[in-house]
Amino acid sequence: MATIEEQIKELEEQISNTKYNKSTEAHIGKLKAKIARLTAEDEKRKSSKGPTKGFYVKKAGDATVALVGFPSVGKSTLLNQLTGAKSEVGAYHFTTLDIVPGVLEYNHAKIQILDMPGLIKDASRGKGRGREVIAAARASDVILLVVDIFNPKMDVLMKELYNAAIRLNQTKPDVVISGSSQGGILVKPTVKLTKIDVDTIKDMAAAYGHINATIVVREDIDVEQMLDILAGNRMYIKCVMAINKVDLAKPGELENVLAMYPQYTTVPVSAVTGYGIEELKQMLYDTIEMIRIYLKPQGKEADLVEPLIVKKGNTVGDVCEVIHRDFKNNFRYAMVWGKSAKFPGQTVGLDHTVEDEDILTIIVKR
């Protein structure tokens, strides 16, 4: 019997030998679903043999940014500029052999920045400790792609991140798969599907191993997005691009690189001279979408000097968790002043969504 690796290779060959068009789309989607299922089985089998040595990074601060790029693009120098951390710098490949953390303090927020070893071709398959680096990147809030202005092509790196189930600047497709005991596979689209048909979704779900299921599709997805939903292990991470070494660029070189990546938010920088660093700090802060909450003890004035930093979309319950879990366990009610309040001092519960610069009083059980 063929091994999992051999089965995957055979399916990949079938895909490469199939000309992609509208009539073969369903067949290719089915083959990709089979590959995804086999890959998941292979990963599960490998992990059952025992844990592999990875990078241990203690979480610090209000959010985490991972510096991702090829070797020798200036990630270590950039970390030192952003945080003052001491990451070894050298003009040769693989200077950073471990993950070096630093903390950027900006607008009262503490943002952990991780300088990671450079990624190379086949990193997603484990080459150059790629799996460990990517695992750390998957746990970040934002990926900062560091691009050398003199070697700006990022196709290989983007492919490695994609193969490692990282989706940059995308949101999870609005598709829900619910298991059932009988009835086969039922697909219920709530919007018109223009990039994939119902039969293709059924075939892909069956190829992935679903026998009885209801699939509700609330978005006009394509084959790749359906594959992402079936796999269930995709990480949807925000991304900013820093184009480094612009101080050495000739006229027109920066414009050429910017034209290559119109889909990304880009900041031209020089990690050596410090050019663009303040703009990059602001961009990271804006991308993470952090907000400031001022706490007001009952019967006292609000602390308007040191705000609590939380993420946009967080609730009163999330704020309680940040302060201390006992605040959530013993929560009675809260009062809020600011943008999220219908009127000053509104009484709210744990599920109330807070907004930037809200003032919050939390009342707990005694």
Side-chain angles (χ1 to χ4, degrees), residues 10-35 195-197 199-205 207-208 223-224 227:
E10 183 182 333
L11 290 167
E12 287 175 339
E13 287 176 355
Q14 285 186 50
I15 291 174
S16 64
N17 293 330
T18 305
K19 190 174 181 180
Y20 189 89
N21 54 49
K22 196 68 180 173
S23 63
T24 61
E25 182 181 73
H27 176 64
I28 291 174
K30 189 191 236 179
L31 294 177
K32 286 184 174 181
K34 286 181 179 178
I35 290 173
K195 306 167 193 172
I196 190 173
D197 56 44
D199 288 338
T200 300
I201 293 174
K202 282 184 180 179
D203 287 345
M204 290 179 69
Y208 200 83
V223 167
E224 292 298 323
L227 195 62

Side-chain angles (χ1 to χ4, degrees), residues 62 104-111 278 281-283 285-286 290-292 294 305-309 356:
D62 303 302
L104 162 64
E105 296 193 21
Y106 191 78
N107 281 358
H108 298 287
K110 291 180 173 63
I111 305 171
E278 288 306 311
K281 290 178 181 179
Q282 183 66 50
M283 184 58 66
Y285 180 87
D286 292 343
M290 291 182 285
I291 60 174
R292 296 155 292 182
Y294 298 99
V305 179
E306 286 293 328
L308 191 70
I309 303 296
D356 189 34

Side-chain angles (χ1 to χ4, degrees), residues 83 109 129 134 140 142 151 217 222 262 303 322 353 356 359 366:
T83 70
R129 297 195 73 185
I134 287 170
S140 64
V142 173
N151 296 288
V217 185
D222 57 23
D303 180 1
V322 171
T353 301
D356 189 34
I359 295 173
R366 298 293 181 189

Side-chain angles (χ1 to χ4, degrees), residues 30-324:
K30 189 191 236 179
L31 294 177
K32 286 184 174 181
K34 286 181 179 178
I35 290 173
R37 178 174 55 80
L38 288 169
T39 302
E41 288 177 12
D42 193 38
E43 291 292 337
K44 188 176 181 181
R45 179 178 58 83
K46 287 176 180 176
S47 64
S48 67
K49 293 181 178 180
T52 56
K53 185 181 178 183
F55 294 118
Y56 172 73
V57 182
K58 184 179 180 180
K59 283 278 189 179
D62 303 302
T64 300
V65 173
L67 301 184
V68 174
F70 292 123
S72 300
V73 295
K75 296 188 299 297
S76 298
T77 310
L78 188 58
L79 174 79
N80 296 342
Q81 279 281 8
L82 288 169
T83 70
K86 298 300 179 186
S87 184
E88 188 179 349
V89 176
Y92 47 88
H93 287 350
F94 298 108
T95 307
T96 304
L97 299 175
D98 207 336
I99 290 181
V100 179
V103 175
L104 162 64
E105 296 193 21
Y106 191 78
N107 281 358
H108 298 287
K110 291 180 173 63
I111 305 171
Q112 185 179 49
I113 312 284
L114 303 180
D115 175 22
M116 304 196 294
L119 290 178
I120 57 176
K121 191 173 185 292
D122 292 328
S124 57
R125 297 174 183 257
K127 192 171 182 181
R129 297 195 73 185
R131 288 184 190 274
E132 294 98 316
V133 175
I134 287 170
R138 281 171 58 89
S140 64
D141 296 285
V142 173
I143 286 178
L144 176 56
L145 291 172
V146 186
V147 182
D148 186 330
I149 195 168
F150 301 110
N151 296 288
K153 290 189 176 180
M154 301 283 283
D155 301 21
V156 171
L157 188 141
M158 298 296 194
K159 184 178 179 182
E160 294 304 324
L161 292 175
Y162 191 89
N163 290 344
I166 291 175
R167 301 292 178 262
L168 298 177
N169 289 343
Q170 295 182 31
T171 55
K172 185 178 179 180
D174 194 353
V175 179
V176 178
I177 301 176
S178 304
S180 54
S181 57
Q182 58 185 6
I185 298 172
L186 178 62
V187 179
K188 293 182 176 180
T190 63
V191 296
K192 184 179 180 181
L193 300 178
T194 64
K195 306 167 193 172
I196 190 173
D197 56 44
V198 168
D199 288 338
T200 300
I201 293 174
K202 282 184 180 179
D203 287 345
M204 290 179 69
Y208 200 83
H210 290 283
I211 300 171
N212 299 301
T214 298
I215 304 174
V216 179
V217 185
R218 299 189 182 93
E219 186 178 334
D220 188 17
I221 60 168
D222 57 23
V223 167
E224 292 298 323
Q225 288 175 304
M226 186 61 213
L227 195 62
D228 288 345
I229 289 295
L230 289 168
N233 66 340
R234 301 335 191 203
M235 297 300 294
Y236 299 86
I237 304 176
K238 294 177 182 179
C239 173
V240 173
M241 181 179 286
I243 302 173
N244 193 23
K245 306 180 185 178
V246 296
D247 56 313
L248 304 175
K250 295 176 183 177
E253 286 184 316
L254 174 58
E255 288 75 14
N256 290 338
V257 177
L258 290 172
M260 291 172 66
Y261 301 105
Q263 72 274 37
Y264 289 100
T265 300
T266 52
V267 183
V269 301
S270 169
V272 172
T273 68
Y275 173 83
I277 296 300
E278 288 306 311
E279 290 82 355
L280 182 57
K281 290 178 181 179
Q282 183 66 50
M283 184 58 66
L284 291 174
Y285 180 87
D286 292 343
T287 302
I288 295 167
E289 293 189 301
M290 291 182 285
I291 60 174
R292 296 155 292 182
I293 301 299
Y294 298 99
L295 297 178
K296 181 182 181 302
Q298 190 174 22
K300 297 182 181 179
E301 293 297 315
D303 180 1
L304 301 179
V305 179
E306 286 293 328
L308 191 70
I309 303 296
V310 297
K311 305 265 180 65
K312 184 179 179 180
N314 275 185
T315 63
V316 170
D318 296 318
V319 173
C320 290
E321 289 276 8
V322 171
I323 300 170
H324 196 283

